[in-house]
Amino acid sequence: MPTKRTKQSDALRAAQMYYLQDQTMDAIARELRTSRSTVSRLLSAARESGLVQIQIKTPSDRAPELERAIRNRYKVEVHVVPVADTLNEVDVLDRVSMQAARTITPLVDSNAVIGVAWGSTLSAVSRHLTRKTTHGSTIVQLNGAGNTQTTGITYASEIIRRFGTAYGAKVEQFPVPAFFDNAETKRMMWEERSVRRILDLQERATIAIFGVGSMDADVPSHVYVGGYLDSTDIDALEASGVAGDVATVFFRGDGSDAGIVLNDRSSGPSLDSLRKIRRRICVVSGARKIKGLRGALAAGLATDLILDESTARELVEQETASNDPIFGFLNSLDGL
């Protein structure tokens, strides 16, 4: 029976022949004295193990119009994931998550501190991560996951663990409630040395990875359906005009967060703290999250945005409808 090392060597050799030497699968099969289906499996293994990392770089002057329009308006790096209009929201999320995972991996370097917020989108992204060996890197959970029904450890830790496994990084969980019952309790907890250690690590983050939460999404954000908010909380958010959240910190459609009382009890980083992180990667799937996405962009929370084509189109069309001059030229473009 072939050893793991032998399989890895075969996968590496097959990948080199296929990607670097332009050999066909049939030619590789003949040289390795195996079947074409085995070569296909070796190439898949090479991608999944991180031996092969595929990047598609589009010159900025040839970027698709949707990406260019969003980049010009919000000053973010944009990756629009092409998806068919016939796909349902679950399939769209899977496509976006797969491309997001492969876009994120090349951005992760050794000695990085990577802050990860839990949620439905990041859970999907974590399942598609490809391996990349790093040294001295740490994955830190950005917000607590406990509520009155569960500690949230199993759900959140699985996401964090997948990131740690993919990059060979140390994992630091944040075992506190997503929302405290009282703001004063949070203030006192934040003075504890064990909690302060995680907070200090979050402040040293070089990359933050997060989705945008929304009550209106077809694939519901976990914070809204996982028992974290009661009816009083929901009413208060609606009264405050909340459009969405990032890492359980809420904001309005214009990006403001002043006076949103629930943020005083949230365990997530403040919007000001999040904006201090050099690279902030936001992953969004589903046009029903458009209000939250516009709020997050208005707040300047993202430096990089990965989203599906339908959502990107909706974002551009809403800006065009609001008579934003930056987007006005898109009215005459075919296909928008």
Side-chain angles (χ1 to χ4, degrees):
M1 179 178 294
T3 64
K4 181 177 180 181
R5 182 169 295 278
T6 300
K7 288 181 178 179
Q8 188 175 54
S9 298
D10 287 346
L12 177 59
R13 187 173 179 183
Q16 290 171 327
M17 295 173 69
Y18 187 76
Y19 292 106
L20 302 181
Q21 301 172 23
D22 291 331
Q23 296 292 313
T24 66
M25 288 193 189
D26 288 330
I28 297 169
R30 285 195 298 271
E31 183 162 333
L32 297 183
R33 297 182 179 180
T34 187
S35 66
R36 191 179 189 279
S37 60
T38 297
V39 172
S40 179
R41 287 194 293 271
L42 289 172
L43 293 174
S44 294
R47 291 192 297 270
E48 291 169 1
S49 66
L51 288 174
V52 172
Q53 295 178 14
I54 299 174
Q55 288 182 270
I56 299 176
K57 294 185 177 181
T58 304
S60 58
D61 60 338
R62 295 183 182 178
E65 296 296 347
L66 285 173
E67 293 184 354
R68 187 184 304 172
I70 296 170
R71 182 183 296 113
N72 289 343
R73 171 64 176 85
Y74 292 107
K75 311 305 178 187
V76 295
E77 287 301 314
V78 188
H79 303 271
V80 173
V81 181
V83 293
D85 292 336
T86 55
L87 292 180
N88 61 42
E89 288 297 324
V90 174
D91 290 335
V92 171
L93 174 59
D94 190 62
R95 296 278 186 91
V96 171
S97 299
M98 182 180 297
Q99 186 159 327
R102 293 177 179 176
T103 301
I104 289 168
T105 294
L107 303 178
V108 176
D109 295 317
S110 293
N111 302 312
V113 178
I114 304 161
V116 175
W118 54 263
S120 302
T121 301
L122 267 292
S123 179
V125 171
S126 70
R127 290 193 290 270
H128 290 292
L129 292 172
T130 54
R131 292 180 183 271
K132 178 181 181 179
T133 301
T134 67
H135 304 283
S137 294
T138 302
I139 310 295
V140 60
Q141 184 177 329
L142 285 179
N143 51 324
N147 61 30
T148 57
Q149 301 175 23
T150 175
T151 62
I153 290 176
T154 301
Y155 175 76
S157 66
E158 184 65 16
I159 297 171
I160 305 301
R161 181 193 63 78
R162 289 179 188 140
F163 274 88
T165 299
Y167 305 134
K170 180 181 178 183
V171 169
E172 293 284 1
Q173 297 181 31
F174 195 24
V176 298
F179 301 100
F180 289 86
D181 288 339
N182 299 288
E184 180 63 16
T185 306
K186 170 188 168 180
R187 188 192 66 76
M188 295 176 65
M189 180 70 81
W190 262 216
E191 294 177 358
E192 291 291 324
R193 287 179 298 172
S194 59
V195 174
R196 189 71 252 167
R197 183 180 69 85
I198 302 299
L199 295 174
D200 291 343
L201 190 59
Q202 292 174 358
E203 291 174 2
R204 287 164 35 211
T206 52
I207 299 176
I209 306 172
F210 52 86
V212 173
S214 172
M215 288 183 281
D216 301 325
D218 291 325
V219 179
S221 301
H222 195 73
V223 68
Y224 300 103
V225 298
Y228 291 92
L229 304 171
D230 58 27
S231 59
T232 301
D233 294 328
I234 296 294
D235 290 343
L237 293 176
E238 291 179 345
S240 296
V242 165
D245 78 280
V246 164
T248 59
V249 176
F250 302 93
F251 47 81
R252 302 179 183 87
D254 62 1
S256 66
D257 64 329
I260 300 176
V261 177
L262 195 55
N263 285 345
D264 295 334
R265 299 193 280 117
S266 172
S267 60
S270 69
L271 302 190
D272 284 338
S273 296
L274 190 60
R275 281 188 285 258
K276 291 178 182 177
I277 299 174
R278 181 175 56 84
R279 191 145 208 170
R280 307 179 300 278
I281 303 170
C282 178
V283 184
V284 176
S285 173
R288 294 289 294 274
K289 288 192 174 184
I290 195 70
K291 288 171 57 179
L293 173 58
R294 292 186 71 182
L297 291 172
L301 300 183
T303 60
D304 297 73
L305 175 62
I306 304 167
L307 75 169
D308 64 276
E309 188 174 7
S310 295
T311 303
R313 193 182 308 279
E314 179 69 17
L315 178 62
V316 168
E317 288 176 350
Q318 286 196 14
E319 291 290 350
T320 303
S322 66
N323 297 316
D324 190 315
I326 295 178
F327 284 83
F329 74 96
L330 288 171
N331 283 323
S332 60
L333 292 176
D334 292 335
L336 286 182

